[in-house]
Amino acid sequence: MTTNLKEQVLTTFHHLHDHAEISWEEVETTHYIKQLLLDAGCQVSTFEDCTGVIGEYGNFQNDLPVVGIRADIDALWQEVDGEFKANHSCGHDAHMSIVLGVLWKLNQDPLLKDRVALKFIFQPAEEKGEGAITLAEKGVVDDVDFLFGIHLRPAQETPAGKASPVIIHGASSSLTAEIKGDDAHGARPHLGHNAIEIAAQIVNMIGTIHLNPMYPHSVKMTSLQAGGKSANIIPGNATFSLDLRAQTNELMEQLKEKVHLILDTVRNLYDTEIEVLSEGGIVAAITNDEAMDIMRKAIVNTLGEDGLAEPLITPGGDDFHYYKIHKPELKATMLGLGCGLLPGLHHPHMTFNREAMMDGVDILFNAILETYK
């Protein structure tokens, strides 16, 4: 591999972009990163029952605070130009490349290795909201004092050349359920329950949910499958999914309570069964002032005062915040990196300024130095 840091980061990015793997299937990605960590002098750990890899770097013998740097490694499964494929449209290929760049930058000064105790956490399955809690339960952050993450930000949120010291994600949740009934003839609607009408009633009722307007929140039906090829059959069965968003964890609990109350009401109103098949979600960010202050100084040291963006509040979610739920005393924050990202995250043709990855490398590197001052 070339010794030029920028070329190393770009080469790694292109490899990871071209070899995307979806959640829990990041086998080759894990192997690739593991080798790079070993080559850089890390002590490496993997897991027997899941993907992901941890690299320990530095001095863990002298009671130094342990700093974790986390990158998510999975891709989305989506249609790109008519073909379904694994696709890094959320920037995880960049996150991995940036975090590896931090490691390589540290290695440029051999004296630093004795002054730091770092855990490079390459986490699977962020897109499913499952990877962070899985690694947390395996004890990955039990000895970590500070945890830094990174995420590319859309141009609409954070302009190129700027960075935010924290991304204040909201909570998100999803619910999939099945309406269970009997089909009926189109001429005899009284002999069955129209699952489409029942789903429409749910849509209408979730539109009447009103919680504290000072905090963003929403519920919407995002999928509905009902009926077949015969237009004269009233479908008695349907499956549907709901997407829930709330800026705080407390508001999310209120939102979920309202949704379940609506489902109970519709069950009773139509005298029909509605079975919840799955339910899951991601917690909202819990901020830490000390970690944010370190990241703020690191941004200014790298980009200057003009490069410091305000704390970023976004309704999007990230399972990064499960680490702090698992370990409340953890001092954690996620860097929001402006990089000219267009047209938006999860767009099949998302693109960004590749040069901005070096800003991410330098900011996280400076955050490490600030932590050990």
Side-chain angles (χ1 to χ4, degrees):
M1 180 176 283
T2 175
T3 56
N4 180 283
L5 180 59
K6 181 178 176 181
E7 289 183 16
Q8 280 184 301
V9 171
L10 286 170
T11 298
T12 302
F13 169 80
H14 290 302
H15 174 89
L16 292 167
H17 184 80
D18 292 340
H19 296 83
E21 295 175 299
I22 61 174
S23 301
W24 297 128
E25 297 182 20
E26 314 95 328
V27 176
E28 293 304 318
T29 303
T30 296
H31 178 76
Y32 177 77
I33 295 171
K34 175 184 176 180
Q35 191 58 54
L36 292 177
L37 293 173
L38 287 170
D39 292 345
C42 289
Q43 181 177 326
V44 174
S45 303
T46 54
F47 309 98
E48 292 183 358
D49 58 348
C50 73
T51 46
V53 57
I54 311 300
E56 292 189 357
Y57 178 90
N59 184 350
F60 286 79
Q61 306 302 319
N62 291 338
D63 295 324
L64 291 170
V66 177
V67 176
I69 311 290
R70 176 268 204 173
D72 30 21
I73 70 174
D74 56 329
L76 291 156
W77 183 256
Q78 66 181 155
E79 187 176 358
V80 183
D81 296 330
E83 175 191 0
F84 276 94
K85 60 189 290 188
N87 187 38
H88 274 301
S89 59
C90 203
H92 295 185
D93 44 2
H95 303 163
M96 290 182 275
S97 305
I98 289 168
V99 171
L100 286 165
V102 174
L103 171 60
W104 295 326
K105 188 176 179 73
L106 285 161
N107 263 342
Q108 290 179 345
D109 183 353
L111 297 179
L112 284 177
K113 193 167 186 178
D114 235 20
R115 295 169 44 199
V116 300
L118 303 176
K119 291 185 83 168
F120 292 93
I121 302 168
F122 291 89
Q123 176 215 300
E126 187 279 327
E127 295 296 353
K128 285 186 174 291
E130 299 171 352
I133 196 166
T134 297
L135 295 198
E137 288 173 350
K138 291 179 179 295
V140 166
V141 296
D142 286 0
D143 63 343
V144 173
D145 300 290
F146 292 86
L147 182 64
F148 300 133
I150 184 169
H151 208 299
L152 307 184
R153 300 319 302 164
Q156 303 93 328
E157 288 187 355
T158 307
K162 289 182 176 287
S164 173
V166 62
I167 306 175
I168 307 175
H169 288 105
S172 64
S173 184
S174 62
L175 179 149
T176 298
E178 182 178 5
I179 300 168
K180 295 184 174 182
D182 295 316
D183 292 352
H185 194 288
R188 301 173 183 85
H190 62 292
L191 297 180
H193 291 111
N194 189 332
I196 296 175
E197 290 180 357
I198 294 170
Q201 183 67 49
I202 293 170
V203 171
N204 290 334
M205 293 182 74
I206 62 177
T208 67
I209 296 175
H210 299 294
L211 301 177
N212 188 342
M214 298 300 293
Y215 298 97
H217 59 277
S218 68
V219 189
K220 75 289 294 182
M221 187 172 288
T222 52
S223 72
L224 174 64
Q225 289 89 39
K229 294 184 178 181
S230 298
N232 62 347
I233 296 176
I234 299 171
N237 298 289
T239 58
F240 64 89
S241 295
L242 302 177
D243 177 89
L244 294 76
R245 304 273 164 170
Q247 198 57 53
T248 68
N249 293 317
E250 295 76 17
L251 199 67
M252 175 57 75
E253 291 306 312
Q254 296 176 37
L255 204 56
K256 289 195 285 190
E257 184 179 340
K258 292 284 189 182
V259 166
H260 280 283
L261 181 60
I262 286 170
L263 295 183
D264 286 340
T265 300
V266 173
R267 287 185 186 101
N268 293 329
L269 180 64
Y270 287 91
D271 190 25
T272 192
E273 183 179 357
I274 302 175
E275 179 186 357
V276 175
L277 303 176
S278 65
E279 194 169 4
I282 297 175
V283 296
I286 302 172
T287 60
N288 176 267
D289 289 341
E290 188 174 352
M292 287 169 55
D293 188 54
I294 288 171
M295 194 63 71
R296 189 177 291 111
K297 291 176 181 176
I299 293 169
V300 172
N301 290 343
T302 305
L303 302 177
E305 291 285 351
D306 290 343
L308 179 63
E310 292 296 316
L312 176 61
I313 300 175
T314 173
D318 196 295
D319 75 350
F320 175 84
H321 308 293
Y322 272 121
Y323 292 112
K324 189 162 177 59
I325 294 291
H326 174 81
K327 185 179 180 181
E329 64 271 29
L330 189 64
K331 299 168 184 176
T333 195
M334 178 175 277
L335 169 69
L337 184 65
C339 54
L341 189 153
L342 293 169
L345 293 169
H346 290 206
H347 189 282
H349 297 293
M350 182 275 280
T351 188
F352 67 98
N353 180 4
R354 310 288 195 259
E355 303 285 325
M357 288 192 289
M358 295 311 299
D359 289 341
V361 170
D362 292 339
I363 293 169
L364 288 178
F365 177 80
N366 276 306
I368 292 168
L369 298 185
E370 284 291 335
T371 305
Y372 287 102
K373 274 188 175 180

